Amino acid sequence: MRILLHRADGVTEPWVRDFASVLPQAEVVLWQEGVPFAPCDYAVMWSPPAGLLKQLDGVKAIFVTGAGVDALLKFGDSLPPVPIIRLGDAGMAIQMAEYVAHAVLRYFRRFDEYERQARRGVWNPLPQFDKAQFTVGVMGMGMLGRRVLDALAHFGFPLRGWSRTQKEIEGVTCFAGEDGLDEFLRGTRVLVCMLPLTPDTTNLLARANLSKLPEGAYVVNVARGAHVAEPDLLTLIRAGHIAGATLDVFRNEPLPGPHPFWEEPRITITPHMSAMTLPGESVAQIAGKIGALERGEPVADVVDRARGY
């Protein structure tokens, strides 16, 4: 068995080591520009260069080393007609829950404002927000979104969720589709974006929708930068309609030095680290799914190309 591995960050050694441990019969082939090699049985990647696509002839499946698949699906019909399989969790859900819970609690307890006060040498206890009015709305209620909702439920926040199709989750007021979006937004104090990036969700958080959030709302984006119209978000923050934003993803990464987000104190920036891919957990999951495919068994997390996730 031959497995083609590509890592955009160039960090391949942990992956090679873990594959050798769990699939010792497999040869891991590292892709290099312009270096030909024999066909492989499986491919493991996330955001491949276009030059890699011609090396995918003959693969039985492509494994995506993340929950999002937009960086691969952008190649459309250039991809071979084989299953594309994303990671189900592999340690990402708990990381995402930690990140979002921290952001929500930081805003609820007004730590963002206390930080700004402290930098000015100001000692001023602020009134506590009413938790009953501090509704958290999660856009995208897949596996990661549900884990985030579970974490927030522990703190007693009113919870709501929005998704493409109707879902029922105990303790969560659920909305779906275009018909439910307005009501979802108008009652959400902290908006958490966890949507897959598709043509329908690109620029979904532009001025028209962001303006529907109540005055003093917050935005947390841990999905993809292209969900948010960045100039619109900045305008609404500067106008005071949105009180702050915590952003882990951006249209251009790394975020360019001259970007105005860097200069806005009400925007918290992190470098796309809300849920890091863990090699050991990921390789174990991929190896299990390869074993199932070799035995002719179904596997979970196969991507629906038409839906984009």
Side-chain angles (χ1 to χ4, degrees):
M1 180 188 302
R2 289 166 56 84
I3 298 174
L4 171 61
L5 173 66
H6 175 264
R7 293 288 302 167
D9 60 9
V11 181
T12 57
E13 193 277 330
W15 294 78
V16 174
R17 181 191 63 235
D18 290 334
F19 270 118
S21 176
V22 299
L23 283 177
Q25 73 274 27
E27 176 189 359
V28 177
V29 179
L30 303 179
W31 182 82
Q32 299 179 59
E33 182 76 51
V35 178
F37 51 81
C40 292
D41 300 288
Y42 297 97
V44 177
M45 61 189 66
W46 178 64
S47 180
L52 183 150
L53 301 183
K54 60 179 177 288
Q55 299 286 353
L56 297 178
D57 291 342
V59 299
K60 302 174 187 177
I62 301 171
F63 290 91
V64 182
T65 55
V69 294
D70 49 286
L72 183 63
L73 293 186
K74 68 183 180 183
F75 293 108
D77 293 339
S78 297
L79 297 169
V82 299
I84 296 173
I85 305 169
R86 59 180 174 81
L87 291 178
D89 181 351
M92 291 184 290
I94 186 63
Q95 295 180 69
M96 195 71 79
E98 292 166 349
Y99 184 100
V100 174
H102 174 271
V104 171
L105 290 169
R106 179 169 174 261
Y107 289 135
F108 176 66
R109 295 302 305 272
R110 307 185 75 163
F111 290 137
D112 59 326
E113 296 175 79
Y114 284 123
E115 289 166 7
R116 291 195 290 271
Q117 284 189 172
R119 285 195 291 270
R120 303 194 311 271
V122 173
W123 179 286
N124 179 34
L126 300 170
Q128 184 76 7
F129 286 131
D130 180 359
K131 184 174 287 186
Q133 303 300 317
F134 212 83
T135 300
V136 183
V138 174
M139 303 185 81
M141 293 186 288
M143 180 192 59
L144 298 180
R146 287 174 182 247
R147 184 64 183 84
V148 165
L149 287 164
D150 285 345
L152 294 171
H154 174 75
F155 297 102
F157 291 106
L159 300 175
R160 54 177 47 199
W162 182 86
S163 56
R164 179 179 177 272
T165 57
Q166 188 65 47
K167 291 181 169 60
E168 298 296 331
I169 301 175
E170 185 177 355
V172 179
T173 304
C174 297
F175 302 83
E178 291 185 17
D179 292 342
L181 183 58
D182 279 10
E183 186 179 357
F184 167 81
L185 292 171
R186 294 188 193 283
T188 293
R189 182 67 179 275
V190 184
L191 176 67
V192 181
C193 181
M194 302 189 68
L195 292 167
L197 184 63
T198 69
D200 289 337
T201 63
T202 298
N203 284 325
L204 184 62
L205 299 180
R207 183 165 191 155
N209 282 329
L210 289 173
S211 296
K212 295 170 186 173
L213 295 169
E215 187 171 352
Y218 301 90
V219 174
V220 179
N221 188 12
V222 291
R224 290 290 183 267
H227 288 121
V228 176
E230 293 178 349
D232 292 354
L233 175 61
L234 188 62
T235 296
L236 289 169
I237 288 175
R238 288 175 172 172
H241 184 81
I242 292 178
T246 297
L247 307 176
D248 186 53
V249 288
F250 306 89
R251 287 178 178 268
N252 296 301
E253 296 181 1
L255 187 66
H259 199 289
F261 279 177
W262 291 112
E263 304 301 322
E264 174 48 64
R266 288 162 292 188
I267 294 179
T268 299
I269 295 168
T270 55
H272 203 147
M273 45 62 67
S274 57
M276 306 290 283
T277 300
L278 305 177
E281 288 84 345
S282 301
V283 168
Q285 187 178 132
I286 292 168
K289 290 178 178 178
I290 286 177
L293 291 171
E294 291 290 308
R295 295 187 297 271
E297 299 169 359
V299 298
D301 307 309
V302 176
V303 172
D304 183 332
R305 299 194 191 199
R307 289 187 174 186
Y309 55 91

